[in-house]
Amino acid sequence: MPYYSGWRFDVAYERYQSWGRYPKVEQEARILYWGDESLPTYECEDKTILPFGNGRSYGDVCLNEGGILLDCRHMDRFIKFDTETGILRCEAGVLLSEILQVTVSRGWFLPVTPGTQFVTVGGAIANDVHGKNHHKAGTFGCYVRRFELLRSDGARIICSNDENADFFSATIGGLGLTGVITWAELQLHHINNPFIDQEIIRYRNLDEFFELARESDQTYEHTVAWVDCLATGEQLGRGLFIRGNYAERIEGKLPQPSTTRLTFPVDPPFALINGLTLKVFNSVYYHKQWSKRTKSQVYYEPFFYPLDAIRAWNKLYGSKGFFQYQCAVPTEQMKNAIGEILERIGKVGIGSFLAVLKLFGDKPSPGLLSFPMPGATLALDFPNSGAKTLHLLDQLDAVIREIGGRIYPAKDARMRPEDFQAGYQHWKTMEAYIDPHISSSLWRRVTAQP
Amino acid sequence: MIAQATARLFAEAGYSLYLVARNQSKLEAVADDLKVRGAEAVHTANLDVLDYSQHKVAINAAINTLDGLDLVLIAHGTLPEQKACEQSFDLTQKEFGINTLSTISLLTYLANYFEDKGQGTIAVISSVAGDRGRQSNYVYGSAKGTVTLYLQGLRNRLHKSNVNVITVKPGFVDTPMTSGMNKGLLWAKPEKIADTIFRAIDRRRDVVYAPWFWRYIMLIIRMIPELLFKRLNL
């Protein structure tokens, strides 16, 4: 209700940022509340629109500089949940966390989940996200049965493997460009309880990682490694290997899931994550467990979403924001490539707070522009220190380019058009399916003529 | 949106719900959602609140379908354009119809039902805007202010019948009704208001501000002497 016009502070700017808080762009926003509304193209003939979920992608894939963002987060209704088959239909603005709240107690879990549960279903499809079980399960898109795509001309296209399969494939990993996903139908995964049997193994170098990963990927549903990216030489790539399976039964008395959540409250005047804190953190984290191996049964939240425990952790990087860098490299070259990338980072000494390494499996995604490929993926984040950071990332690009890898658009704010186009050979095919009224900052950047 | 968010809390707690609104497809979307979230049963009915002649029928249908009511939440409303209302009595009358008279009409039937029953809860969404008239918003303010005053009397009347009447006074809430306005620090999400309503019902409160700090903001605003207040640009 309008009250004190003078007291209003505009937070729209704050709200419609990407998670990396870089780049910062000028754009307008409209909210879509209901799936049966049409898109607001009548009022923006000269401007493009872009569906926006919960702003958890990192770079500019969810931004539309000079255009309009269509906030879909309020289309957050469930439509149908069959507890026998685990098939869930919901509107695209529903968060994965909201799905889990409804389904976990009834014995169903997300078939694939990224490292945060605060993404919308629409965002998960548009970025064809993956998780710790990619080696077995593939991407999120593999479990999307059907969805409705709303186009700016008012057309509503039902897409599945058998119906409008071309739009289905262009929309999964389609970066939100093919239209607005109003609802989607997902196949969930059956679980006996909300716990994971987890094992954490400290390993000494990259060779050990690849050995552990190959062995673990046979018998473990979820595997991932945290890498100490400041380690060099003999210890290059050392870290903690985390693997887990859905628990068959609950053993003994388990700690109740914690409900308290911390929120990082303010914008610090400088990045709290800097060279010094990184060195300390990486070293301490690597040595956090005395024994080489620990086994435990843990609740699904700390296992899948350790960072969700601190809301707004992105502010730790200060107001200049940060870069995520995630690449995929093909199997044949992965050892050398990952080694080379870690070496380059070690040399510059601006290590990453969170370096995550995992092997991708070979289950294909239906998505045309899906990111994962059989091989390995490394995800890093760097505080935005301007030219210095950009220079390092350019060097990493060179490694990826050489071996035919690719960079994840959901986390990118700066890759060159040549690298995108080389990494995603189908990008030209994609153009035929893009809605004429939809565009994004990322898409304009990576399809610019070099 | 406030009603939807509140209904979700009741659905999660396993209640049976009867939803009344104007738009059938939106009603169905909300009903499906509430079923998945755990509501024991969800029924829907169409009603244009300006169609006063249908109020009694609608309430009776709800009573029959659910085999009696324990709780009613009245949450419909529009945000009039103040400037347009200043130029048009017709528009002002319509806004009063939606925001005031329809609520009073519904309450007339509901009050008698609950009075007979000898228990129950009636929660109605009014507004902080009804606490004092201001030039920027006095059509909406007086429409809601009437509701607030009506509820005050009704609470007094129904107290002896063990019926709890709750006046909910939200501040700025981020809903379609307020789309197009710049959202600032004082704005709350509908979920936050829903939480307040849910707790107020549970604790049998009388008047709740949502979020809580509006109680103090409005206390100060009400304390400003009229002599000074009329000179302010509010």
Side-chain angles (χ1 to χ4, degrees):
Chain A
M1 282 106 266
Y3 219 84
Y4 237 85
S5 53
W7 288 356
R8 279 179 220 140
F9 299 82
D10 192 359
V11 291
Y13 184 66
E14 181 81 7
R15 181 156 157 185
Y16 298 112
Q17 289 196 72
S18 69
W19 193 243
R21 306 208 296 162
Y22 175 91
K24 302 200 191 299
V25 306
E26 294 281 337
Q27 57 198 352
E28 293 171 51
R30 296 279 184 283
I31 299 177
L32 204 57
Y33 284 98
W34 302 91
D36 60 4
E37 287 177 68
S38 53
L39 303 185
T41 39
Y42 57 90
E43 52 175 315
C44 46
E45 273 179 5
D46 53 332
K47 287 184 175 177
T48 59
I49 57 175
L50 179 71
F52 183 94
N54 203 36
R56 284 298 180 122
S57 52
Y58 289 80
D60 54 359
V61 70
C62 64
L63 303 178
N64 192 11
E65 184 162 19
I68 293 171
L69 287 185
L70 203 54
D71 181 348
C72 299
R73 174 69 186 95
H74 297 271
M75 286 199 300
D76 64 345
R77 296 168 201 92
F78 291 101
I79 299 169
K80 196 170 184 356
F81 178 39
D82 184 334
T83 51
E84 295 292 310
T85 60
I87 294 173
L88 173 80
R89 190 193 290 192
C90 63
E91 293 179 346
V94 170
L95 295 182
L96 299 190
S97 59
E98 294 168 338
I99 292 182
L100 293 172
Q101 270 170 26
V102 164
T103 64
V104 166
S105 61
R106 300 178 204 178
W108 296 96
F109 203 77
L110 295 162
V112 166
T113 176
T116 172
Q117 53 184 326
F118 303 125
V119 302
T120 61
V121 168
I125 296 173
N127 294 291
D128 197 18
V129 298
H130 56 271
K132 293 180 172 67
N133 61 351
H134 185 273
H135 59 283
K136 287 214 182 270
T139 64
F140 193 85
C142 298
Y143 302 88
V144 176
R145 293 165 51 92
R146 296 199 300 157
F147 55 77
E148 181 186 77
L149 194 62
L150 171 57
R151 304 270 293 180
S152 61
D153 62 6
R156 289 173 183 273
I157 308 175
I158 305 286
C159 306
S160 72
N161 255 326
D162 334 297
E163 209 178 340
N164 300 304
D166 50 347
F167 272 105
F168 185 68
S169 149
T171 303
I172 293 175
L175 311 177
L177 300 166
T178 58
V180 172
I181 302 169
T182 54
W183 57 260
E185 196 174 276
L186 312 172
Q187 174 64 58
L188 302 186
H189 178 86
H190 176 69
I191 51 170
N192 293 317
N193 58 62
F195 290 88
I196 304 286
D197 286 325
Q198 169 186 259
E199 193 171 0
I200 303 178
I201 301 161
R202 198 167 69 201
Y203 67 90
R204 282 171 305 188
N205 55 44
L206 265 192
D207 282 340
E208 279 194 20
F209 164 81
F210 283 107
E211 210 170 296
L212 256 175
R214 226 185 318 269
E215 170 211 317
S216 307
D217 283 0
Q218 305 298 318
T219 47
Y220 285 86
E221 187 72 22
H222 307 282
T223 64
V224 72
W226 167 83
V227 179
D228 172 2
C229 55
L230 295 176
T232 52
E234 295 280 281
Q235 300 185 314
L236 188 73
R238 73 173 186 179
L240 302 176
F241 192 87
I242 301 153
R243 58 193 193 183
N245 280 320
Y246 296 109
E248 289 284 321
R249 66 187 82 79
I250 302 170
E251 281 150 20
K253 207 175 137 200
L254 287 164
Q256 282 304 302
S258 153
T259 51
T260 53
R261 285 215 165 86
L262 299 172
T263 297
F264 196 74
V266 291
D267 248 331
F270 57 90
L272 294 177
I273 294 175
N274 52 44
L276 185 67
T277 54
L278 274 174
K279 213 169 182 131
V280 174
F281 173 81
N282 273 271
S283 196
V284 168
Y285 195 82
Y286 178 69
H287 290 107
K288 82 167 186 165
Q289 60 185 48
W290 290 107
S291 52
K292 191 169 156 28
R293 246 164 225 266
T294 56
K295 272 187 173 188
S296 58
Q297 211 167 50
V298 293
Y299 193 58
Y300 76 85
E301 279 188 314
F303 183 81
F304 287 108
Y305 314 113
L307 281 174
D308 285 351
I310 308 166
R311 299 280 170 122
W313 61 265
N314 57 344
K315 288 190 181 169
L316 284 165
Y317 284 97
S319 62
K320 276 196 277 182
F322 66 104
F323 292 99
Q324 264 264 341
Y325 189 87
Q326 185 171 357
C327 57
V329 294
T331 314
E332 310 77 54
Q333 321 264 4
M334 65 185 179
K335 278 193 179 178
N336 293 337
I338 301 291
E340 171 98 34
I341 289 172
L342 289 173
E343 251 170 48
R344 291 195 183 206
I345 295 168
K347 220 177 275 170
V348 185
I350 47 173
S352 162
F353 193 56
L354 301 154
V356 172
L357 179 59
K358 160 158 190 68
L359 295 191
F360 275 149
D362 53 11
K363 179 166 178 163
S365 161
L368 202 57
L369 295 190
S370 189
F371 161 69
M373 60 167 75
T377 182
L378 179 66
L380 306 152
D381 52 33
F382 301 96
N384 178 11
S385 314
K388 197 169 122 195
T389 318
L390 288 167
H391 180 67
L392 171 66
L393 300 181
D394 283 342
Q395 288 191 320
L396 305 185
D397 283 354
V399 180
I400 308 297
R401 194 178 308 138
E402 187 110 330
I403 54 140
R406 57 170 76 123
I407 296 159
Y408 194 8
K411 298 191 172 181
D412 179 68
R414 33 70 51 200
M415 77 167 118
R416 300 188 311 169
E418 307 86 290
D419 289 328
F420 175 79
Q421 293 167 19
Y424 297 89
Q425 308 262 331
H426 293 302
W427 76 278
K428 271 282 175 197
T429 322
M430 176 72 188
E431 283 193 325
Y433 299 99
I434 294 179
D435 188 295
H437 272 100
I438 297 182
S439 181
S440 69
S441 288
L442 178 125
W443 191 252
R444 291 189 291 274
R445 177 167 59 80
V446 299
T447 57
Q449 289 303 317
Chain B
M1 288 296 138
I2 296 177
Q4 172 182 276
T6 311
R8 282 179 177 176
L9 297 177
F10 282 99
E12 280 155 19
Y15 282 70
S16 294
L17 299 151
Y18 191 96
L19 313 177
V20 182
R22 197 172 33 155
N23 182 310
Q24 185 61 30
S25 70
K26 290 176 182 174
L27 259 178
E28 276 166 19
V30 175
D32 288 344
D33 176 61
L34 296 175
K35 279 180 215 158
V36 174
R37 286 175 195 265
E40 167 134 346
V42 187
H43 311 274
T44 63
N46 271 87
L47 178 69
D48 181 343
V49 291
L50 286 178
D51 191 357
Y52 303 128
S53 66
Q54 291 303 306
H55 286 191
K56 190 169 187 193
V57 180
I59 289 168
N60 283 337
I63 292 168
N64 291 334
T65 307
L66 289 181
D67 202 13
L69 305 178
D70 302 311
L71 161 68
V72 169
L73 172 67
I74 300 180
H76 66 271
T78 52
L79 183 60
E81 226 181 290
Q82 173 65 30
K83 286 283 169 221
C85 288
E86 285 169 17
Q87 302 305 319
S88 161
F89 173 70
D90 284 348
L91 191 58
T92 304
Q93 189 177 26
K94 187 178 172 211
E95 295 295 350
F96 264 76
I98 297 169
N99 291 301
T100 313
L101 293 173
S102 68
T103 302
I104 289 175
S105 162
L106 291 166
L107 285 172
T108 305
Y109 300 113
L110 289 166
N112 293 336
Y113 168 74
F114 281 115
E115 190 174 43
D116 280 350
K117 196 177 172 188
Q119 61 176 339
T121 301
I122 299 173
V124 182
I125 298 186
S126 182
S127 171
V128 294
D131 277 12
R132 192 157 191 179
R134 293 160 305 110
Q135 61 175 322
S136 62
N137 195 20
Y138 63 83
V139 171
Y140 184 68
S142 53
K144 286 298 196 184
T146 308
V147 171
T148 298
L149 210 57
Y150 186 94
L151 290 170
Q152 207 171 45
L154 191 63
R155 181 179 307 115
N156 191 201
R157 170 186 152 200
L158 294 181
H159 176 69
K160 60 178 173 298
S161 307
N162 192 30
V163 178
N164 182 210
V165 177
I166 305 174
T167 311
V168 182
K169 295 183 184 176
F172 301 138
V173 190
D174 191 354
T175 68
M177 194 172 95
T178 54
S179 67
M181 299 172 66
N182 281 334
K183 307 291 175 353
L185 285 180
L186 294 173
W187 287 74
K189 299 235 169 273
E191 290 77 21
K192 176 100 188 150
I193 311 300
D195 248 6
T196 306
I197 296 173
F198 191 79
R199 272 183 291 126
I201 290 166
D202 189 46
R203 296 177 191 174
R204 297 181 68 84
R205 298 277 303 276
D206 297 323
V207 179
V208 286
Y209 286 82
W212 58 272
F213 56 78
W214 282 99
R215 180 178 295 276
Y216 302 98
I217 294 175
M218 296 320 298
L219 183 69
I220 292 165
I221 289 186
R222 279 201 314 271
M223 279 180 1
I224 302 171
E226 195 63 18
L227 198 66
L228 175 61
F229 199 80
K230 70 179 180 187
R231 292 177 165 81
L232 298 178
N233 187 21
L234 294 173

